[in-house]
Every structure is written in structure tokens, then in C-alpha cells.
Amino acid sequence: QVQLVESGGGLVQAGGSLRLSCAASGMPSSVYAVAWFRQAPGTEREFLATINWSGTAVKYADSVKGRFTISRGNGKESVYLQLNSLKSEDTAVYYCAAARMNILYEVDLLYDYWGQGTQVTVSS
């Protein structure tokens, strides 16, 4: 059974940093793309970043480019999202999602598997 589990969220002051993790298990193949999305209360889900299975290609939303960094671990079973220079408007539940595909898409409907989300709260 495919599972994605996010971790690393929490409360941080504006200007601070967090490192989010997405642990994947049960994937039928290592060839899959992983993306990060976020959703604040009363808003639509927002694309943040995506990375291919080998970690050689990435894509970022304009709103976070230069502040957030997506990466994969050496074993490819984990994907990380480094959040730097955090702002209050970054407060949201952050989700990772995966799909067996080679193209990096920004559309949430194209991702088959989702984690439960991890809360990021930025104060001040």
C-alpha cells in the first residue's frame, strides 16, 4: 500500500527556517515525481515545488522560488522541502504528493498519492 508521510512542521518566527520531510513507502516503482502543495484555511490548494524521481529536475512556484528548496535523499525514498525566510503568509498545511510520471506537473489532480499534511505556522 502506498503511503506518504509528512513531518517537520511546527511554529517558527518570521525569517526563520524549517525542513519538511516526505517519506514514501509502498511505491510500485522508484520512477515517480513528488510535489509539495500547501493549503491555508479558506483557500485553494497551492502548488509549491516538484521534483523528478532522480532528483535532477525541479520546478518551483513563483511565490516561493528563491526561498524554498526541494530535494531528494540519496535513497530516493524521502523528499525534502527546505523553507527559508519564512513569512506569515506561508502559514498553511503542507502536503506532499506523488505520481508515477516523468513530467513535472503543477496540477494537483494529476498526483495520485497524498500525505496527511504537516502544519507550518509562522509568527510575527
Side-chain angles (χ1 to χ4, degrees):
Q1 184 176 2
V2 175
Q3 289 191 78
L4 300 175
V5 180
E6 302 96 334
S7 63
L11 176 64
V12 63
Q13 292 184 335
S17 300
L18 285 173
R19 181 179 170 88
L20 307 183
S21 298
C22 176
S25 63
M27 297 294 292
S29 173
S30 62
V31 181
Y32 60 92
V34 174
W36 284 93
F37 296 82
R38 69 184 180 189
Q39 187 168 24
T43 70
E44 295 183 346
R45 189 176 296 148
E46 177 188 10
F47 167 79
L48 299 174
T50 183
I51 190 168
N52 70 344
W53 74 275
S54 63
T56 58
V58 298
K59 182 184 295 184
Y60 295 97
D62 290 339
S63 61
V64 302
K65 191 172 185 178
R67 297 192 299 122
F68 293 3
T69 303
I70 190 170
S71 62
R72 302 192 79 134
N74 291 334
K76 305 297 189 293
E77 73 277 4
S78 296
V79 174
Y80 307 100
L81 187 67
Q82 179 69 37
L83 315 178
N84 294 328
S85 302
L86 284 165
K87 309 171 183 178
S88 60
E89 52 262 44
D90 294 320
T91 296
V93 177
Y94 285 67
Y95 299 91
C96 66
R100 296 182 62 191
M101 55 189 182
N102 295 317
I103 301 174
L104 301 181
Y105 293 107
E106 303 176 11
V107 181
D108 54 358
L109 292 176
L110 298 178
Y111 289 86
D112 301 311
Y113 310 107
W114 292 80
Q116 83 288 350
T118 185
Q119 176 72 45
V120 172
T121 303
V122 184
S123 64
S124 300

